[in-house]
Amino acid sequence: MTETPDLGGLLGGDENGLSGLLAQAQQMQAQLMAAQQEIAETDVSGSAGNGLVTVVGSGAGGVTKITVDPKVVDPADIDTLQDLIVGALNDLDAKREALAAEKLGPLSSGLGGLPGLG
């Protein structure tokens, strides 16, 4: 007859047991959801041409507003305006990534404490 292993320490309420890991994972999930919500509610702006073109969007994605200074609206030079809009969009993307890294970075490093995720 085979002995059944004692799983009490693994399944018990101590911090090193499965329930402690589960509680830690639930806490991290709540923090992650809060950070994602904060990112989604944050307006981020990108600009180009020293502010001649500004693009605003949410931290989660999408563009909500584009502002173009009338000084750059030259029918004979549409290429410059198009380049400024692309530059402002790229700046917006970079700032979104920085926001996500700032808000989610501390949470992703916490995954190292969970077996198989570090």
Side-chain angles (χ1 to χ4, degrees):
M1 185 156 115
T2 307
E3 280 188 43
T4 304
D6 179 14
L7 299 177
L10 181 62
L11 299 174
D14 66 346
E15 289 183 18
N16 297 323
L18 188 58
S19 63
L21 276 175
L22 182 59
Q24 182 181 2
Q26 288 172 335
Q27 181 182 17
M28 288 178 64
Q29 181 181 16
Q31 290 172 338
L32 178 63
M33 289 175 64
Q36 288 172 329
Q37 183 67 30
E38 185 176 347
I39 290 169
E41 293 173 355
T42 301
D43 281 339
V44 182
S45 66
S47 65
N50 290 323
L52 294 174
V53 174
T54 302
V55 180
V56 179
S58 76
V63 174
T64 57
K65 180 179 178 182
I66 296 178
T67 304
V68 178
D69 189 305
K71 290 189 280 190
V72 295
V73 182
D74 180 358
D77 189 14
I78 295 298
D79 289 340
T80 297
L81 178 56
Q82 291 170 341
D83 289 343
L84 288 171
I85 291 171
V86 169
L89 287 167
N90 288 334
D91 189 41
L92 174 66
D93 282 343
K95 289 180 179 176
R96 271 191 191 124
E97 289 176 18
L99 175 66
E102 175 189 331
K103 300 295 180 188
L104 298 176
L107 296 174
S108 64
S109 66
L111 294 176
L114 298 176
L117 297 178

